[in-house]
Amino acid sequence: DAKTTQPTSMDCAEGRAANLPCNHSTISGNEYVYWYRQIHSQGPQYIIHGLKNNETNEMASLIITEDRKSSTLILPHATLRDTAVYYCIPSNSNSGYALNFGKGTSLLVTP
Amino acid sequence: GAVVSQHPSWVICKSGTSVKIECRSLDFQATTMFWYRQFPKQSLMLMATSNEGSKATYEQGVEKDKFLINHASLTLSTLTVTSAHPEDSSFYICSARDNGRNQETQYFGPGTRLLVL
């Protein structure tokens, strides 16, 4: 599995965009990049995933660099409810798309 | 859509007893489900991959005779913690992969908190 590096913690003001980076320089060609978040004491919530192209859904945008060695999750207008631990996880069909959770980034959205 | 439920949400049991946790995909079918465990202040750790109609695949270090997994239908997987001990106290979380459109995506249940006394 590809290893990932994420900042331990980040702060963001409510209403501003939160940009969460992830380095996955050892990602293989057929590994998707998944983003999940976990709000305290709850199960992880799926946010978005992508392979090569940038992706956008109702929750967030995912920007993947052309060499696929890093990506950025963008929450366009952060709210207090976005305070959570965010995980960037590469995975593919080789593992049945099992997820290997690292330590993630603890995002604190402040008023 | 893509809702996964777990039952119970929390359980307290005596040491030596067995506890069964259910994981259901409510609005989709899931050939593959996963079981994770999370200790306080730590990240989720994959315990096993469960495939409908076949034996589960366990991660290294996870005792298959202690953590029995049954995936008898496309919407239900169960995890039984046999002869539970205090060190088994943890947050157990399941996830299910959608057989439909987003086959590469898994959705998580709300978790089951187990406390063994």
Side-chain angles (χ1 to χ4, degrees):
Chain A
D1 291 346
K3 293 193 185 300
T4 59
T5 303
Q6 296 180 254
T8 301
S9 63
M10 294 181 65
D11 291 350
C12 177
E14 189 178 19
R16 305 297 293 268
N19 297 298
L20 293 92
C22 179
N23 180 286
H24 34 78
S25 59
T26 61
I27 195 170
S28 63
N30 64 349
E31 279 187 302
Y32 289 87
V33 178
Y34 293 86
W35 283 83
Y36 284 81
R37 70 182 182 185
Q38 186 178 28
I39 296 170
H40 184 60
S41 296
Q42 298 182 22
Q45 179 186 23
Y46 167 77
I47 302 173
I48 199 167
H49 75 288
L51 185 61
K52 295 180 182 177
N53 299 322
N54 298 337
E55 302 287 344
T56 296
N57 62 20
E58 64 278 4
M59 289 185 68
S61 294
L62 174 59
I63 308 298
I64 302 174
T65 58
E66 194 168 340
D67 63 8
R68 300 206 334 117
K69 290 185 177 182
S70 66
S71 61
T72 300
L73 179 74
I74 302 172
L75 306 179
H77 305 286
T79 70
L80 299 180
R81 286 180 292 182
D82 292 323
T83 292
V85 179
Y86 287 77
Y87 298 95
C88 156
I89 310 170
S91 186
N92 60 13
S93 58
N94 296 355
S95 64
Y97 301 103
L99 300 174
N100 183 5
F101 284 78
K103 296 184 179 179
T105 295
S106 179
L107 175 68
L108 176 64
V109 181
T110 56
Chain B
V3 179
V4 177
S5 70
Q6 283 185 240
H7 178 80
S9 56
W10 59 269
V11 58
I12 301 173
C13 70
K14 293 182 179 180
S15 185
T17 61
S18 294
V19 175
K20 180 187 283 189
I21 302 170
E22 292 184 350
C23 176
R24 293 181 187 274
S25 56
L26 298 186
D27 53 0
F28 64 96
Q29 294 187 327
T31 299
T32 303
M33 292 185 174
F34 303 90
W35 287 95
Y36 296 81
R37 180 167 56 179
Q38 185 175 33
F39 293 108
K41 297 187 187 290
Q42 293 186 23
S43 194
L44 280 76
M45 288 179 53
L46 178 66
M47 298 176 67
T49 301
S50 165
N51 287 298
E52 186 262 341
S54 63
K55 290 184 179 180
T57 303
Y58 291 81
E59 295 299 299
Q60 194 171 12
V62 178
E63 300 174 56
K64 61 180 173 62
D65 294 331
K66 180 169 184 63
F67 298 100
L68 301 179
I69 292 172
N70 184 279
H71 191 159
S73 81
L74 289 174
T75 58
L76 173 65
S77 175
T78 60
L79 170 69
T80 301
V81 184
T82 62
S83 187
H85 289 100
E87 58 266 30
D88 299 321
S89 298
S90 188
F91 190 43
Y92 291 86
I93 310 167
C94 74
S95 68
R97 262 181 55 200
D98 190 344
N99 281 10
R101 283 192 311 167
N102 285 330
Q103 293 185 16
E104 68 272 13
T105 303
Q106 56 184 283
Y107 301 94
F108 286 81
T112 297
R113 206 162 291 280
L114 170 64
L115 176 60
V116 184
L117 302 176

